Amino acid sequence: MTISAQQLLQSHFGFSHFRDGQQQVVDTIMNGESAAAIFPTGSGKSLCYQLPALVLPHLTLVISPLLALMQDQLEFLASKGISAASIDSMQTKEQSQQVLAGVKAGHIQILMISVERLNNERFRQFLAQVPISLLVVDEAHCISEWGHNFRPDYLKLPKYKAQFNIRQTLLLTATATEKVVVDMGEKFAIGQNNIVLTGFYRPNLNLHVQGLAQADKDLFLAQWLNDKTQLSGIVYVTLQQTTEQVARSLSAQGISASAYHAGMDSEQRQSIQKNFMNGNIRLIVATIAFGMGIDKNDIRFVVHYDLPKSIENYAQEIGRAGRDGNSSECLVLANYDNLNILENFVYADTPEENAISYVINEIIEQAKLNNFQWEVVLNSLSSQSNIRLLSLKTLLVYLELAGLIKPAYSYFAEYKFKLKCSENELINKFDGERQTFIKAILESSDKAKIWYTLNFDRMAVQYPSERSRVITAIEYFDEKGLIELQSKQMTEVYQVNSNPMDLTLLNTDMYSRFEQKERSEIKRIEHLLAFFASSACLSQQLAHYFSDPRLQQPCGHCSVCLGNVTTMPATPALKPLDEFKFEQYTNEINKKLGKQTSITLISRFLCGLTTPIFTKLRVRKLTGFAIFEHYRFNDVRLWVEKNISTN
């Protein structure tokens, strides 16, 4: 007899009924179709793949953006007796091999990985040997350029779905506007009927915004928290050092608080998180590194000490409160003091036009020499072109969409191994043709004192074999403890369009796309500011932003509805730029940059915006670095331009 979804829900998860939207998604997946679930944070998106994974014939592969998300899910699944595992960078080689063996044997039903794991040639070769029933993409808005957290590697997921012959996909997100939902669905060919939106509005969350000068925040926050010391809550800040400062300030005022940020060591972070989850720590002051994957039902308040990065981030972060359905408070302490810093981060990501030109020329020149193929190590190209790594990945996606390049494959440029037995012992473990093949691997490798480095060119001459066969062999040796294997320097290989293209026009188009993205991100910040300073119902505005039609009237319980429309305090006046001496702050950086100097680079230096060339030249200690970090980048740029033209 076929067991029903309702029976599985009861027997494995102990729930008597599905939450809103869950059954529709689960039924769609169990009927052999793909689906998308756009549910608010904390409303049970994960169950939509966890339950079907119990009955699907093969592996459920989950793409999850953060290690914390994976660990939380794995602990939950283990508590329900469901076999799940992850492959991540924190594991030892032995732990990873144990997981892969479990997947291969069919003992593991759910495997969780980061999207970057799919760049690993060895891992992709492993997946190609494993039947996969369902691809789950968590935080699926990352696949859309119009999403708030676009990640270029996500754009490759439809290609991997085809490559690994995965029939079904499930997309999960809490924060997707209508435009993003359409984009997600189109990329994975998910029909409109299989996209389930449950609405964004949660009536148990009381949204409040309080306009405050920066100097008044600590006292106000301590007073606001005074009657909440027995409740669990999170205070979000932007910078790591602010977590420590605010936690100290609250503790000095008699309110126990623990700081949490990505700069702490892993054990310390895990200890704080564990104590927060079990109630030993009530209040966490954290950067947004805290909270992803946290499924604590009784968080009674979330405070934004600093402005969040976007409305989407705000929605995601307040969504961690009140998951038990009980009333919870969400407070923002708002001012415009750090607005310029927030905007300047956006300007730091836009490559200069000549940097884009450098990349395009590199592609064309190498393609001429290599039969229209281009090989690239991204970290090296980022340094050479002076384009930030994420922006470089985005540029390559844009060039792919424009038809210049097409991803072919990626590989590790170097495979090194050392023997754990003698050469003869290794060779004699095999017989016939395999013995000859293994002997050829050893003889063609470059040998140092201990380490061997695979030489694929020499191997191709000595014993012509598929590259994949060589890699499979040495991975097998590694798995069996016969060698210790290391691989490094990921190389991406692209096929380059052999038809002539107008490269000047292409360069202009690429730069325009980045400028458009820049304008879009600045607009996102403007939306955020307008939202917090608005005289309209906050809950209704949020619902409208996320295409939730259910809230047609003011909520009646946000700060605006309660008569407290935010008045933003005046921003502290900055000293006029014309009162600064240009040469005093730019002479050192000009000398360091030499011929590479430009108006944009000097402006970024003065605003404290890092680029690969700044990292290489170690400019942080130079006079002038970050002297104008509180000024608007565009104003600084105009000032630099004016001074250069008059000198």
Side-chain angles (χ1 to χ4, degrees), residues 416-433:
K416 292 175 72 174
F417 63 92
K418 66 179 178 183
L419 296 174
K420 291 187 173 179
C421 59
S422 71
E423 282 195 2
N424 283 336
E425 280 179 278
L426 179 62
I427 293 165
N428 289 330
K429 286 186 180 292
F430 304 88
D431 50 33
E433 186 273 338

Side-chain angles (χ1 to χ4, degrees), residues 205-209 224 300-304 314 318-319 321 328-332:
L205 298 187
N206 303 312
L207 312 185
H208 306 281
V209 181
W224 189 83
R300 293 275 69 89
F301 60 88
V302 169
V303 178
H304 282 87
Y314 171 69
I318 63 171
S328 302
E329 307 301 311
C330 304
L331 171 68
V332 178

